[in-house]
């Protein structure tokens, strides 16, 4: 059964006759065709009793036609897309229309209201559930993305120097990945030195690499349509014992969570496995984010591995495990790997060592 058929069957059981998929990654997941329309509109229409239809800018229509076996309708910039959409759809009067609420802004909603008559219901949870459990083929692709992440972070390590800046190292990492055929990083690469690493979402810049401090790398690549995400923190020079102790505490917390993961436990229990160690050491207030997030074709996917989420972990789920300790003005440490849930544990996509490395 194709993914589109699986989705339309699910909607038919709920008596929903039409769905509109607007997230380019969701469209890619369902069809194998990817395009970023930028500010333009692109929608995949799914019907209970008709072939799908892809509506997108004419710029990408030919490429879509080469991939898809169902109708493709393009529009040029001078056309009014909502009007054209209404004219080409076989029907616009429905009891309910399923739309991805998480990819819906007010402008799109107002546009849909000019085309359709009916109640809009949320399609996001249904697609999230479909994407939650990865197939063996998907997991294999994520191992490839993870291997490239390992290569990328090693390029970063090889370029550590007190004469260079965070931005310099980032440029070397991303240039090195381009040379290996990687067209896109999963997100903006982070290289954060010293106190800058004490901000969980620090902004890298022209800061020179600090001596006797810790240096944080957070990066990922997109390969074969799937993403990777990893963080490593290394030592530059001779950091003091306090910094080394914080690093070891974070490493211990991450390993505890990884060892705990197996089918049947809950997301909140996984979070607690790491968080309890950090809290018992007296640093709980400095671990101020969830333990992890889902990963797949997008670098941040459903679900969140966090306190309060009692979702049961099952085989085939893929997510990150990334405890962090961020003490302003003193030290910042995060260690992250993504992996997949196996029959009795958790296998990591990234292999870079986690004992504290010195440069």
């Amino acid at each position: 059964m194709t993914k589109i058929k699986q989705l339309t069957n699910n909607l038919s059981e709920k008596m929903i006759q039409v769905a509109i998929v607007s997230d380019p990654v969701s469209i890619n997941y369902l069809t194998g065709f990817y395009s970023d329309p930028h500010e333009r509109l692109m929608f995949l229409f799914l019907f209970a009793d008709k072939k799908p239809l892809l509506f997108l800018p004419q710029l990408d229509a030919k490429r879509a036609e080469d991939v898809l076996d169902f109708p493709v309708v393009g529009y040029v910039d001078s056309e009014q897309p909502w009007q054209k959409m209404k004219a080409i759809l076989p029907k616009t009067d429905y009891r309910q229309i399923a739309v991805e609420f998480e990819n819906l802004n007010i402008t799109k909603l107002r546009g849909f209201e000019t085309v359709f008559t009916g109640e809009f219901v949320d399609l996001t949870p249904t697609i999230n559930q479909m994407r939650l459990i990865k197939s063996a083929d998907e997991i294999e692709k994520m191992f490839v993305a993870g291997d490239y992440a390992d290569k990328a972070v090693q390029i970063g390590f090889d370029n550590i120097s007190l004469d260079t800046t965070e931005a310099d190292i980032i440029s070397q990492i991303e240039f090195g990945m381009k040379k290996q055929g990687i067209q896109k990083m999963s997100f903006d690469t982070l290289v954060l030195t010293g106190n800058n690493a004490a901000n969980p979402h620090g902004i890298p810049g022209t800061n020179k690499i600090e001596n006797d401090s810790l240096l944080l790398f957070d990066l990922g690549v997109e390969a074969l349509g799937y993403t990777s995400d990893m963080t490593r923190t290394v030592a530059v020079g001779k950091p003091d014992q306090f910094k080394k102790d914080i690093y070891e505490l974070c490493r211990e917390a991450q390993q505890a969570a990884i060892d705990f993961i197996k089918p049947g436990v809950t997301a909140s229990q996984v979070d607690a496995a790491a968080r309890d160690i950090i809290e018992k050491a007296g640093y709980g207030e400095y671990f101020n984010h969830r333990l992890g997030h889902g990963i797949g074709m997008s670098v941040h996917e459903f679900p969140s591995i966090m306190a309060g989420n009692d979702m049961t972990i099952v085989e085939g789920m893929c997510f990150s495990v990334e405890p962090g300790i961020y003490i302003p003005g003193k030290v910042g440490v995060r260690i992250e790997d993504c992996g997949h849930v196996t029959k009795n544990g958790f296998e990591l996509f990234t292999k870079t060592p986690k004992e504290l490395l010195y440069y």
Side-chain angles (χ1 to χ4, degrees):
M1 182 186 300
T2 67
K3 292 170 182 174
I4 286 179
K5 186 63 175 174
Q6 181 184 343
L7 179 54
T8 53
N9 285 351
N10 181 290
L11 295 172
S12 293
E13 291 173 2
K14 300 173 184 175
M15 305 299 289
I16 297 173
Q17 298 300 302
V18 63
I20 308 169
V21 185
S22 57
D23 181 349
V25 178
S26 296
I27 293 173
N28 186 15
Y29 174 77
L30 293 167
T31 69
F33 171 75
Y34 179 79
S35 174
D36 182 352
H38 302 290
E39 76 280 5
R40 299 179 174 92
L41 303 177
M42 180 174 71
F43 303 120
L44 174 66
F45 294 95
L46 303 177
F47 307 98
D49 56 354
K50 299 178 182 67
K51 282 189 174 183
L53 184 150
L54 183 65
F55 182 81
L56 78 171
Q58 188 64 43
L59 294 165
D60 289 315
K62 178 62 169 66
R63 191 163 60 86
E65 289 169 352
D66 291 342
V67 174
L68 306 177
D69 61 356
F70 53 78
V72 172
V73 176
Y75 68 91
V76 297
D77 290 343
S78 58
E79 290 183 287
Q80 215 295 337
W82 298 107
Q83 291 178 2
K84 183 165 186 176
M85 190 186 307
K86 188 170 184 177
I88 59 97
L89 288 171
K91 178 183 175 182
T92 58
D93 181 12
Y94 293 94
R95 184 180 64 86
Q96 291 184 319
I97 306 102
V99 183
E100 290 177 288
F101 280 11
E102 287 190 7
N103 197 251
L104 185 65
N105 57 31
I106 295 296
T107 300
K108 288 179 184 176
L109 175 60
R110 294 292 180 258
F112 285 139
E113 289 173 341
T114 68
V115 176
F116 291 97
T117 300
E119 175 192 7
F120 294 101
V121 296
D122 193 5
L123 181 63
T124 297
T126 302
I127 292 183
N128 279 346
Q129 285 295 327
M130 287 183 65
R131 292 173 61 178
L132 177 65
I133 308 302
K134 270 62 177 181
S135 67
D137 177 65
E138 289 180 292
I139 289 171
E140 191 62 36
K141 290 174 180 176
M142 295 179 74
F143 271 110
V144 173
D147 182 59
Y148 275 111
D150 283 326
K151 293 174 180 175
V153 82
Q154 186 60 54
I155 292 171
F157 294 167
D158 292 344
N159 281 276
I160 294 173
S161 165
L162 299 181
D163 296 324
T164 195
T165 68
E166 296 165 331
D168 291 334
I169 295 177
I170 291 170
S171 67
Q172 291 299 317
I173 291 171
E174 297 189 352
F175 178 61
M177 285 293 95
K178 290 283 189 184
K179 290 200 295 184
Q180 295 189 42
I182 294 298
Q183 298 301 310
K184 184 180 179 183
M185 306 300 287
S186 300
F187 52 91
D188 291 341
T189 302
L190 296 181
V191 175
L192 304 172
T193 186
N195 291 336
N196 203 19
N199 184 338
H201 280 172
I203 300 174
T206 58
N207 308 301
K208 282 204 167 185
I209 304 307
E210 295 181 24
N211 197 21
D212 300 334
S213 189
L214 299 182
L215 179 62
L216 185 150
F217 294 80
D218 188 354
L219 56 79
V221 306
E222 187 175 301
L224 304 176
Y226 285 77
T227 61
S228 55
D229 187 4
M230 70 178 298
T231 307
R232 289 294 185 271
T233 305
V234 300
V236 179
K238 298 179 179 179
D240 60 36
Q241 190 61 45
F242 175 74
K243 293 182 176 69
K244 291 189 286 186
D245 289 345
I246 292 297
Y247 179 88
E248 183 56 28
L249 178 62
C250 191
R251 190 204 60 76
E252 179 186 351
Q254 195 218 24
Q255 192 60 50
I258 290 170
D259 291 343
F260 179 80
I261 297 168
K262 62 182 179 181
V265 302
T266 67
S268 60
Q269 288 174 328
V270 175
D271 181 280
R275 196 171 303 275
D276 287 352
I277 288 173
I278 294 173
E279 288 181 344
K280 286 176 182 176
Y283 296 100
E285 67 182 290
Y286 302 111
F287 178 16
N288 53 13
H289 55 74
R290 63 189 176 183
L291 179 67
H293 55 81
I295 189 169
M297 296 184 85
S298 299
V299 71
H300 282 186
E301 291 189 358
F302 174 80
S304 287
I305 307 302
M306 65 181 184
N309 182 5
D310 292 326
M311 169 182 281
T312 300
I313 301 300
V314 298
E315 185 179 355
M317 289 174 61
C318 299
F319 51 83
S320 69
V321 180
E322 50 180 302
I325 302 173
Y326 317 94
I327 306 175
K330 293 186 177 180
V331 66
V333 175
R334 183 167 64 255
I335 306 170
E336 174 187 15
D337 294 279
C338 296
H340 70 106
V341 181
T342 66
K343 289 182 179 179
N344 51 21
F346 191 65
E347 185 178 14
L348 304 182
F349 297 130
T350 39
K351 310 298 183 185
T352 300
K354 283 175 282 193
E355 67 267 17
L356 186 57
L357 303 176
Y358 287 81
Y359 291 89

